[in-house]
Amino acid sequence: MFSKAIRYYENGLKLSNEPQYQGLYLSFSANLASSYVKVGKKKEALEILTGVLPIAVQNKFYEKEIQILLALAEVYFLDNFEAAKVYLDSSFNKANRYGDKEAVIRSLKAMSALYKVHAQYKESMAISEKERQMSDSLFNKQKAIEVADLQANHQLQKSKTDINRLELINKTNLTIRYGIILILAVILIFLFIILYFYYRSRKLNKLVNRANNNLQILNEELEEMHVVKDKMFAIIGHDLRSPLASVIGMLDLLKEDALDKTEQLTIIEQLSIHSKGSMEMLTNLLLWGQNQIKGSYLRPQYCSVKDIIAKNILLVKVASTQKSLTIEDLTDASAVVWADPSHIDFVFRNLISNAIKYSRKHGSIIIGAEPQKTPSHISFYIKDTGIGISQERLSSIFKLNGQSTIGTAGEKGTGLGLVMCKDFIEANDGELHVESEENVGSVLKITFRRYPRDY
């Protein structure tokens, strides 16, 4: 019997291993672990339960957390009294905190059984009595609710009877009222005709105004789409075509076999730089174009910014090493935000890459976090000692028609990176602010929410 149940729960676990089925996944995990315990597979049950308990805690599934705690107590039920008691105490406290009386009763029942199995009968009886009292109280409460429902139904039937009696009385008075109503109806018809034509004219005017507004909005959207199209063709025709032409020229040089090994390695390195730059331009271009046409689709969740920053620092290590740059990450491991992780990853990757791009050799880049006035937000900053941005240029860096500045090592860009970063940050209910001084450096501040708006 248990083997059939185990197969059922294992299949359910596979099918529910998706973010939208997390609650179901936790239930299947707890039930599968309980079945494993029944057939003596306590090690497998313990691995499952210790893996899913943090998920239940992090996502505040307190009912699933209690179920998992009870299953963990079941693993240690016969062999380790203290461990089982710890988990039962935890499930009892959790259920008591959330006022879940049924879960409290389940915890007490399991605790009484635990004391009984380990020959502590006095304690078992005391807990069993407490569980019985709570069960009786819950039963009485349910009965009280049923009695209240019966009383409400009685009152409803009585009200219906009174209504029927009043309707009978009203019918006798209708004949008298018909004459008055007929006169009023004639007057109202004339008033209705007048009002009809009045409101009809107003409605037509509103429709005309709405159509004009919609036409204006469509024209603006069309203009924006033309800007997107022109920008994409301009980038494809200039920023992507030039590097590809250089790549073709370098490949022709390599085919001639007239270069020594050092020159060949230099050309290969340049080919790599041009190819990577072109790939980055194309990736940003396609992502930006898709975002402009289809809109940004968010999958917000709690994100560890420290991990995202560390990963992207590792990705740009080669570029920073070539310029002998020092990158210092001062963010705390507890820095967590509520946002789409792919957007956060894109933002920090682009902003760190930009800091490297516009930094001189032997410069430094500092990344950190700072508290905000409201506890619901947290800000991060990326500070460099690079070439900075002039005040004239600063006002247009987030515009689509802005021109990208060449990096200190001749790196080229499309100017889309900052535009996309700003779009993604604002899509996640955040803000991006830039402070810069030419030939001194720049500080980019990014503010995100620490938890959902309705938290």
Side-chain angles (χ1 to χ4, degrees):
M1 181 177 69
F2 286 114
S3 61
K4 186 175 181 180
I6 288 172
R7 287 197 304 272
Y8 168 78
Y9 290 133
E10 286 176 343
N11 289 334
L13 204 61
K14 292 177 183 177
L15 294 173
S16 62
N17 193 12
E18 296 290 340
Q20 62 268 33
Y21 305 128
Q22 227 168 33
L24 192 60
Y25 179 81
L26 295 173
S27 294
F28 276 124
S29 299
N31 290 328
L32 177 60
S34 295
S35 299
Y36 276 157
V37 172
K38 298 290 190 305
V39 297
K41 295 183 177 182
K42 294 184 178 181
K43 182 179 179 181
E44 291 85 346
L46 192 59
E47 289 179 357
I48 292 173
L49 294 171
T50 53
V52 297
L53 181 58
I55 299 175
V57 174
Q58 181 180 1
N59 290 278
K60 295 182 174 58
F61 292 148
Y62 84 90
E63 292 180 350
K64 308 302 179 185
E65 183 182 350
I66 293 171
Q67 185 182 6
I68 293 168
L69 290 170
L70 290 172
L72 281 166
E74 190 178 358
V75 174
Y76 295 105
F77 205 80
L78 298 176
D79 305 325
N80 192 332
F81 173 82
E82 292 299 330
K85 185 177 181 301
V86 167
Y87 286 117
L88 288 177
D89 287 340
S90 181
S91 69
F92 173 80
N93 293 332
K94 179 69 69 172
N96 206 24
R97 186 189 312 162
Y98 285 98
D100 191 339
K101 291 188 177 181
E102 292 185 359
V104 170
I105 292 171
R106 290 199 304 272
S107 300
L108 289 173
K109 188 176 292 185
M111 201 176 298
S112 175
L114 175 66
Y115 277 106
K116 185 176 180 180
V117 166
H118 290 275
Q120 298 185 36
Y121 299 109
K122 183 178 180 181
E123 292 82 353
S124 175
M125 288 292 293
I127 295 173
S128 179
E129 176 63 20
K130 186 176 181 180
E131 178 265 324
R132 185 188 64 75
Q133 291 175 357
M134 289 200 68
S135 297
D136 291 345
S137 174
L138 184 61
F139 175 77
N140 292 334
K141 184 178 180 180
Q142 291 174 343
K143 285 299 180 183
I145 293 173
E146 292 177 2
V147 170
D149 288 340
L150 289 174
Q151 291 176 343
N153 288 330
H154 173 71
Q155 291 295 330
L156 180 61
Q157 292 298 326
K158 184 179 179 182
S159 298
K160 287 182 178 178
T161 303
D162 292 339
I163 290 172
N164 290 333
R165 182 171 57 84
L166 289 173
E167 286 179 350
L168 184 61
I169 295 172
N170 287 334
K171 285 179 181 178
T172 60
N173 296 325
L174 285 177
T175 305
I176 300 173
R177 296 176 185 173
Y178 281 152
I180 299 172
I181 292 173
L182 183 61
I183 297 171
L184 292 175
V186 174
I187 297 172
L188 288 174
I189 289 173
F190 282 108
L191 290 174
F192 176 77
I193 293 172
I194 296 171
L195 290 173
Y196 172 75
F197 285 104
Y198 172 72
Y199 282 110
R200 182 180 175 86
S201 62
R202 287 191 61 183
K203 186 176 181 181
L204 288 173
N205 289 333
K206 288 181 179 179
L207 289 174
V208 171
N209 292 333
R210 189 181 301 170
N212 290 333
N213 291 334
N214 291 336
L215 183 61
Q216 183 178 355
I217 293 171
L218 289 174
N219 287 332
E220 292 174 356
E221 291 178 352
L222 184 61
E223 289 179 3
E224 290 178 0
M225 292 180 66
H226 278 304
V227 172
V228 173
K229 178 203 68 175
D230 294 341
K231 183 64 177 178
M232 291 179 71
F233 277 116
I235 294 169
I236 293 172
H238 181 268
D239 293 314
L240 288 178
R241 184 177 180 182
S242 297
L244 288 176
S246 300
V247 169
I248 293 171
M250 292 177 186
L251 288 173
D252 290 337
L253 286 174
L254 288 175
K255 287 194 300 184
E256 294 177 359
D257 290 333
L259 305 174
D260 57 32
K261 189 172 183 179
T262 301
E263 292 173 329
Q264 289 179 353
L265 289 174
T266 301
I267 290 178
I268 291 172
E269 183 179 356
Q270 290 296 317
L271 282 171
S272 176
I273 293 172
H274 280 287
S275 299
K276 290 177 181 177
S278 298
M279 179 60 71
E280 183 180 356
M281 288 183 196
L282 183 58
T283 301
N284 286 349
L285 177 64
L286 293 175
L287 183 60
W288 175 81
Q290 183 182 30
N291 184 57
Q292 292 296 310
I293 295 170
K294 296 183 178 181
S296 179
Y297 181 67
L298 292 177
R299 295 179 181 270
Q301 62 188 58
Y302 288 105
C303 306
S304 172
V305 179
K306 179 77 172 179
D307 295 340
I308 292 173
I309 291 173
K311 182 188 75 172
N312 284 292
I313 289 176
L314 187 62
L315 289 175
V316 299
K317 185 174 181 61
V318 173
S320 62
T321 302
Q322 289 175 346
K323 289 188 175 182
S324 301
L325 298 175
T326 301
I327 301 180
E328 187 176 4
D329 180 16
L330 302 180
T331 54
D332 192 80
S334 62
V336 175
V337 300
W338 176 259
D340 190 315
S342 63
H343 288 183
I344 301 297
D345 184 55
F346 178 89
V347 167
F348 277 99
R349 182 170 66 253
N350 272 267
L351 296 184
I352 294 172
S353 296
N354 274 358
I356 294 172
K357 179 178 178 180
Y358 298 116
S359 290
R360 302 183 182 91
K361 283 190 174 183
H362 307 291
S364 64
I365 298 172
I366 301 176
I367 306 169
E370 56 187 20
Q372 293 296 294
K373 294 180 180 178
T374 57
S376 60
H377 291 77
I378 184 172
S379 286
F380 302 88
Y381 61 86
I382 300 174
K383 181 179 181 181
D384 64 63
T385 56
I387 60 176
I389 307 171
S390 66
Q391 293 303 310
E392 296 80 10
R393 170 94 176 97
L394 197 60
S395 61
S396 63
I397 58 173
F398 295 122
K399 294 181 179 178
L400 184 61
N401 56 1
Q403 298 298 319
S404 177
T405 304
I406 296 176
T408 55
E411 303 99 325
K412 293 183 178 180
T414 63
L416 285 176
L418 274 178
V419 175
M420 293 176 64
C421 285
K422 188 172 186 296
D423 288 346
F424 284 164
I425 290 170
E426 292 177 350
N428 286 276
D429 203 10
E431 295 180 359
L432 174 60
H433 180 67
V434 180
E435 297 175 0
S436 185
E437 185 176 349
E438 200 167 8
N439 296 320
V440 175
S442 302
V443 179
L444 287 89
K445 293 184 178 180
I446 314 108
T447 303
F448 287 111
R449 296 192 66 85
R450 296 176 62 189
Y451 36 77
R453 180 176 288 277
D454 56 351
Y455 184 81

